[in-house]
Amino acid sequence: MQHPLGRLYRSVYRPWPMALLATLASACLLALLGLGVALSQAREAQRADLESRGERFLLRFEQVLGQLRQGLATLELQPLRRCDPGLVESLQRVSFEHRFIHEASFVADGQRCSSRPPHAAPEPARPADFHSQSLDYWLNATNAPDEDPAALMLAHGPFRVSSSRGHLLDAVDPSGGLGVYLIPRGSTQALPILAAPPSLTILPGAADSAALQLLDGQPFYRLQGDNPDYQLALLAPRAQLLQRIRACWERLLPVGLLLALLGGGATFRLVRQRQSLGGELQGALRRQELQVYYQPIVHLASRRYVGAEALMRWQRPDGSLTSPEQFIPLAESTGQIRAITDFLLQEVLEQLGDLLRSHPELYISINLSACDVSAPRIGALTGRLLARHGVRPEQIAFEVTEHGLIDLQAASRNLAELRARGHRVLIDDFGTGYSSLAYLQTLPVDCLKIDKAFVDALGADAASSGVAPHIVRMARALRLKVIAEGIEREEQARLLGSEGADYGQGWLFAPALSASAFRELIGGGQPAAPLSPVPSGRRQAAPGALIASAPARSRASPASDSIPLPGPLRAGRQAASVGAGERGMGPLPGKPARQSLENDL
C-alpha cells in the first residue's frame, strides 16, 4: 500500500498544479520582499526629505537664537532697571537693530514695559520650558491674544526677548502636518516649536539616534546639531510615509508578479520535462534500453584483473545517450531506482553468470542507493538470483556512498545482513562526504574507495595531494582494503601501490567494456599493464587475496578470502567524465573506448 504522503505527492506533482503553486508561492514571497524593499526605500526617502528640510530650519533657528542672545547681552550691559522712557528706548533700539527680535521687554518689581507699547509686557503664565546657561526658554510663548504667538522667548534676569513664528516659517512649512520639536539635552520630552501641543514623550536614547524612527507610527527624525543644550527633531505625518510606501510598492509589484509568472512557467517546463523523462525511463526499463557496462579492477601488485564495477547507461532507440546525472537522481526521487537496481542485478548475472562460475576469483561490484540501503530487500533478492545462476555470494559486492547513509542505524543493520550472506561492503568516494571515523567503526565495512579527485591530485601542487596516501594509511590502520579510482598514469599506480593501496581502476588499465568485451578481456588472461617496481620493504597481497582482515573489527567478515573488493554502480554520477575510465559508461560496441566516452559526453 502506498504511503498517503506518497499518493499526495504524486497527485500534486504535475505540471499545472506545481506551476500554480510555484506562481502563488513566488508571488507571495516577492510581494513580501517588495513590501520590505518599498518600506526601506520609503523610509530612506522620508529621511532624506526630513534631513533636507531640517537643515534649513536648523540654520534659521540658530540665527534667531543667536540674535536673541545678543539682544539679551545688550540689555544686560545698559544700567537702567526701571520702566522709564530711557529703558523703553533701549528696548526699542534692541528690537530695531536685530531682525529676528520681535519684542524686547522688562519685568521686575511689578514693573512691566515693552518695546511695543501700548501692549503689556510678555509674561508667560507657565514656568520656563527649560533652563540652560542662565537663560530661561519658552517655546510657543504668547505675546497678546491678537498677535501670532511667539515661537521662541528667552529671558535673563528681568529682561525678555522673543521672536515671532514668521521668522521660522520662512525656513519650513508645517502646513502639511510637519512638526518641529526641541529636545533638551538628557530629556525624554520633545517640546513643540512649530507643532500643535502637547509635547511628545520619546524613548530613552531615541534622541541620540540619527536614524529615522517611528514614534506612534509617525516618522521621527533627529537633526544633527552642535548645540550642547538641545537638539531639534522633525515629526512627519504618518500618511506621508504610507503614501511613499504605497508608491514604491506599486512600482515593484508588477515586477514581482512578472517574476512569479516566469517562475511558474519555468516550474511547469521543468516538471513536465521531469515527468516526461520519468515516463520515458519507465518505458526504457520495459524495453530494456538500459545497458550494463563493466569497468575492470586490477590488483596493483600483479596487474591481474580481479573484478569489475557494474555501470549503467541509457541509450535511446535513436542512438542518443541520456546522462546518468539526469536519470539517476530522477529515479531516486521517483522510486524507480529500486527497479533499476533489480534490473542491474539480473543483467549482471544473466550476462556474466557463467563467467563468474568458471572464474570464482572474479567479482562484480554493484552500487546501492540510499533507499536500497535503508530497506532489507536487496539481500533476499540477490540470494534468489544467485541460487538461480549458481554464483557464489562472495562474487557480488555492494557499495554505498557516504551521502547515501541517511539513516545510519538502518544502513548498519541492513549492510550487516548483506555481509552475513557472504557479500562484501564498500564505501565509495571516500573523503567527499561525511568522512567520519565514527561511522567507519559502526558500519560493517570491508573496503574504501578513494575518489578520483584525490587520485588526480597525486604529484600535483594542490592542497589535496596528500589525501589519497592518508586514506590508504588510515584504511591500513583500520584493517580495510583500498581501491583507487580514476588511475590514468603509471606514476599514479606506482605511488598508490607503494603507499599500500590494494586495487585500482581507470583508463591506464581498461575503459568500461560491454559484457562480451569483458569476457574477451578475462579470457585472454593477460596483465592489465606492465608491472611497476614495488619497494622491497612493503609486502603486497596476492591478487586473489580478498578483504579478509576485516574480522579483526567489531563485526566479523564472512569467509571467502579470495576476492578483492570492488567499485560502485556509478549509475548516475560522473559516469561520463572525460579521461576517467572507471567513471565512464564504457565504449559502444565497435568503437574505441576513449572515442566512445567522448561521444557519451
Side-chain angles (χ1 to χ4, degrees):
M1 179 180 296
Q2 290 185 344
H3 195 277
L5 291 179
R7 292 197 298 270
L8 177 62
Y9 171 80
R10 287 175 174 78
S11 62
V12 174
Y13 193 77
R14 299 178 184 277
W16 281 112
M18 290 302 297
L20 181 60
L21 288 175
T23 302
L24 292 177
S26 301
C28 294
L29 180 61
L30 292 173
L32 292 176
L33 181 61
L35 184 60
V37 173
L39 178 60
S40 176
Q41 291 183 353
R43 288 172 66 100
E44 178 59 25
Q46 185 76 70
R47 186 204 63 77
D49 177 59
L50 292 180
E51 182 180 34
S52 174
R53 299 170 71 178
E55 287 178 351
R56 294 195 301 270
F57 179 83
L58 181 61
L59 178 61
R60 174 58 59 86
F61 187 79
E62 293 290 350
Q63 291 174 345
V64 171
L65 191 60
Q67 289 196 11
L68 293 179
R69 289 172 177 167
Q70 291 176 7
L72 284 176
T74 301
L75 292 173
E76 286 290 336
L77 291 177
Q78 59 88 33
L80 301 175
R81 293 295 185 272
R82 293 184 61 84
C83 282
D84 53 24
L87 179 59
V88 172
E89 182 180 354
S90 297
L91 296 175
Q92 291 175 343
R93 185 184 308 111
V94 167
S95 177
F96 178 77
E97 291 177 351
H98 296 84
R99 171 190 173 192
F100 296 124
I101 295 181
H102 176 68
E103 185 171 0
S105 62
F106 174 85
V107 179
D109 300 329
Q111 302 180 65
R112 301 175 183 176
C113 52
S114 169
S115 63
R116 295 173 58 84
H119 299 290
E123 186 177 2
R126 70 179 191 274
D129 292 320
F130 73 98
H131 179 82
S132 175
Q133 294 182 352
S134 301
L135 298 177
D136 294 323
Y137 290 76
W138 284 269
L139 305 178
N140 273 329
T142 303
N143 278 338
D146 59 346
E147 291 285 344
D148 289 335
L152 181 62
M153 177 183 290
L154 269 67
H156 184 269
F159 296 103
R160 289 173 168 79
V161 291
S162 63
S163 178
S164 67
R165 294 172 60 91
H167 296 311
L168 298 181
L169 292 176
D170 292 342
V172 66
D173 182 13
S175 60
L178 180 70
V180 182
Y181 293 81
L182 182 144
I183 307 172
R185 184 71 67 178
S187 174
T188 59
Q189 295 295 314
L191 307 176
I193 300 177
L194 295 179
S199 60
L200 300 176
T201 300
I202 60 178
L203 295 175
D208 298 328
S209 174
L212 183 72
Q213 304 174 55
L214 293 180
L215 187 62
D216 294 332
Q218 294 182 263
F220 178 82
Y221 182 74
R222 179 185 67 84
L223 300 175
Q224 297 290 337
D226 299 328
N227 194 292
D229 300 326
Y230 61 84
Q231 294 173 316
L232 296 181
L234 277 69
L235 187 71
R238 181 185 309 163
Q240 190 177 72
L241 179 62
L242 294 178
Q243 183 178 2
R244 291 179 185 273
I245 294 174
R246 186 181 301 111
C248 293
W249 192 54
E250 288 176 354
R251 290 196 303 268
L252 294 173
L253 187 59
V255 178
L257 292 178
L258 178 61
L259 292 177
L261 290 175
L262 292 177
T267 302
F268 177 84
R269 295 186 59 183
L270 178 62
V271 174
R272 186 170 65 177
Q273 179 182 5
R274 287 179 62 87
Q275 280 202 331
S276 175
L277 185 61
E280 293 180 14
L281 180 59
Q282 188 67 30
L285 285 170
R286 292 195 305 268
R287 295 187 296 270
Q288 296 186 347
E289 294 176 4
L290 299 181
Q291 301 176 10
V292 182
Y293 280 75
Y294 302 90
Q295 178 74 57
I297 299 175
V298 304
H299 185 262
L300 291 178
S302 64
R303 301 299 174 90
R304 294 290 181 180
Y305 296 107
V306 295
E309 171 189 357
L311 306 173
M312 184 73 74
R313 64 184 293 167
W314 181 7
Q315 185 171 10
R316 305 292 186 91
D318 59 0
S320 63
L321 292 173
T322 300
S323 170
E325 295 180 356
Q326 290 182 325
F327 73 84
I328 290 299
L330 174 63
E332 291 178 342
S333 64
T334 60
Q336 293 174 304
I337 191 65
R338 295 184 179 89
I340 291 179
T341 302
D342 298 347
F343 172 80
L344 181 63
L345 279 168
Q346 295 177 18
E347 285 293 296
V348 167
L349 292 175
E350 288 180 4
Q351 292 178 356
L352 301 181
D354 56 344
L355 181 66
L356 294 175
R357 287 193 300 270
S358 60
H359 292 78
E361 73 281 3
L362 293 178
Y363 68 90
I364 302 297
S365 172
I366 294 178
N367 192 46
L368 298 180
S369 66
C371 62
D372 292 324
V373 177
S374 61
R377 68 177 196 89
I378 292 297
L381 173 64
T382 307
R384 291 193 299 270
L385 293 174
L386 291 176
R388 181 188 308 168
H389 292 276
V391 176
R392 298 163 56 192
E394 305 92 280
Q395 295 181 273
I396 297 295
F398 295 101
E399 72 178 75
V400 295
T401 63
E402 299 175 72
H403 301 285
L405 302 175
I406 300 175
D407 187 344
L408 194 59
Q409 291 184 347
S412 178
R413 183 172 57 254
N414 296 325
L415 293 178
E417 178 188 353
L418 291 176
R419 293 185 75 219
R421 290 175 176 269
H423 305 289
R424 298 292 191 260
V425 175
L426 299 81
I427 297 294
D428 185 25
D429 295 340
F430 184 78
T432 62
Y434 308 113
S435 301
S436 171
L437 289 176
Y439 80 71
L440 282 182
Q441 296 174 347
T442 302
L443 288 174
V445 178
D446 300 294
C447 179
L448 302 182
K449 293 196 72 174
I450 302 177
D451 188 75
K452 180 183 183 297
F454 301 132
V455 175
D456 289 340
L458 289 174
D461 186 13
S464 58
S465 60
V467 174
H470 177 73
I471 294 176
V472 174
R473 291 191 291 271
M474 183 183 66
R476 285 295 183 183
L478 296 174
R479 298 188 178 182
L480 300 176
K481 296 292 184 179
V482 177
I483 299 176
E485 301 178 281
I487 300 177
E488 299 180 356
R489 302 190 305 275
E490 178 62 30
E491 54 268 26
Q492 293 174 336
R494 291 181 181 180
L495 179 57
L496 289 166
S498 66
E499 289 290 340
D502 302 281
Y503 309 102
Q505 62 184 104
W507 279 94
L508 176 64
F509 310 119
L513 304 172
S514 64
S516 58
F518 182 69
R519 285 173 174 274
E520 182 178 352
L521 181 72
I522 297 300
Q526 298 298 323
L531 292 176
S532 59
V534 178
S536 59
R538 184 179 297 276
R539 182 174 60 86
Q540 294 287 343
L546 185 54
I547 306 169
S549 53
R553 297 166 59 239
S554 59
R555 287 182 172 82
S557 296
S560 170
D561 295 345
S562 59
I563 302 178
L565 279 217
L569 159 63
R570 196 79 56 205
R573 304 184 320 275
Q574 303 171 326
S577 299
V578 175
E582 77 282 11
R583 301 288 192 183
M585 298 309 295
L588 288 172
K591 294 184 179 181
R594 188 169 295 273
Q595 179 182 355
S596 171
L597 182 64
E598 296 171 350
N599 293 337
D600 290 358
L601 295 176

